[in-house]
Amino acid sequence: MIDVERQRALEAIATEVRACTNCRLHETRTKAVPGEGDPETEVVFVGEGPGFNEDREGRPFIGRAGDLLVKLLASIGWRRDDVFITNVVKCRPPENRDPQPDEIAACAPFLRRQLEVLDPAVVVTLGRYSMATFMPGVRISQAHGTVRPIDPATGANLALAFAMYHPAAALRTPAIERESYADIAAVPATLLASRERRGAGASTIPEPLEEPVPSTDDATPEMTLF
Ligand code: URA
């Protein structure tokens, strides 16, 4: 898809999200938060669900967690406009409670369709609800900073998932913040690995990678996305 078509397809999904009444979260939302970013990006960040500020503005990750996400991105030389940022659920759960399984299921088709349009090489999961979508059955304490092939049923075909803690957890716990900076340093190398894998026409059947992509010196922090 060319740029303009992607933009249009993403806008069409966003329009549906803003009018969605498929689960109870629409009853308490101020604004739905479809997601935003570069339609041509190779990297999509997926959080959990909008918080207070996001619900008011209709934009993802614009509060304190978003500020930290921007700092994490800056640490590898990326800006939020270089990537696409969205969430597992597009409407704020009341009082920032965890999203319920039926709410996640009701919203899943929107995320799947966004990923089909964006066709990213890498999906970075932020927190355990996002991780559960792309890396089912793993624990975040073990899986953060590691990579798995993504099941194409998610909408992301031939892509790699990279797990990170949620920035809100990093704001609460300095050790998690430090680990998050270490983890994101491996994202550029993950993008390179995914590009190579896509170029090599790897099987679309998900299979575990033998080694997680390490955060080594060959992950050039200043590398640009394109
Ligand atoms: N936390 C999330 O998971 N998503 C947002 O958009 C904001 C905070």
Side-chain angles (χ1 to χ4, degrees):
M1 251 190 253
I2 55 168
D3 204 356
V4 183
E5 283 174 6
R6 276 184 194 214
Q7 185 66 60
R8 259 194 221 126
L10 290 168
E11 250 328 299
I13 297 166
T15 302
E16 281 183 53
V17 166
R18 291 188 191 106
C20 178
T21 57
N22 291 347
C23 83
R24 67 185 78 78
L25 293 182
H26 84 275
E27 293 165 10
T28 47
R29 75 176 174 226
T30 310
K31 285 186 178 171
V33 182
E36 66 184 27
D38 181 351
E40 286 289 285
T41 190
E42 295 175 277
V43 184
V44 175
F45 282 71
V46 181
E48 181 176 313
F52 178 82
N53 294 292
E54 292 78 15
D55 173 70
R56 287 177 63 148
E57 301 291 328
R59 298 181 55 213
F61 280 101
I62 53 160
R64 286 185 62 227
D67 291 345
L68 179 55
L69 180 58
V70 168
K71 284 188 198 154
L72 287 163
L73 286 166
S75 75
I76 56 169
W78 294 4
R79 295 166 301 132
R80 65 177 282 151
D81 296 350
D82 292 330
V83 299
F84 194 90
I85 303 175
T86 188
N87 285 299
V88 169
V89 294
K90 314 298 193 203
C91 296
R92 183 190 183 207
E95 313 301 325
N96 293 347
R97 66 156 167 76
D98 291 342
Q100 307 290 304
D102 63 323
E103 295 159 356
I104 293 172
C107 220
F110 291 126
L111 180 57
R112 179 178 47 72
R113 288 168 56 202
Q114 287 175 318
L115 293 170
E116 283 168 0
V117 172
L118 289 161
D119 185 27
V122 176
V123 174
V124 179
T125 65
L126 300 170
R128 61 201 168 93
Y129 287 94
S130 172
M131 191 186 69
T133 301
F134 298 95
M135 296 187 181
V138 301
R139 293 175 69 89
I140 198 154
S141 54
Q142 277 146 20
H144 75 93
T146 71
V147 178
R148 306 272 189 298
I150 296 180
D151 182 344
T154 59
N157 196 22
L158 255 185
L160 295 177
F162 184 91
M164 290 187 56
Y165 283 109
H166 196 285
L171 286 173
R172 286 192 295 269
T173 311
I176 290 183
E177 182 176 2
R178 283 194 295 278
E179 290 188 86
S180 296
Y181 278 101
D183 288 344
I184 203 166
V187 171
T190 304
L191 175 57
L192 293 181
S194 187
R195 278 186 188 152
E196 208 161 292
R197 190 167 166 267
R198 283 154 78 92
S203 154
T204 54
I205 298 163
E207 50 192 62
L209 289 184
E210 277 170 23
E211 298 287 338
V213 174
S215 54
T216 57
D217 300 335
D218 53 5
T220 313
E222 292 76 24
M223 195 187 89
T224 55
L225 271 176
F226 306 106

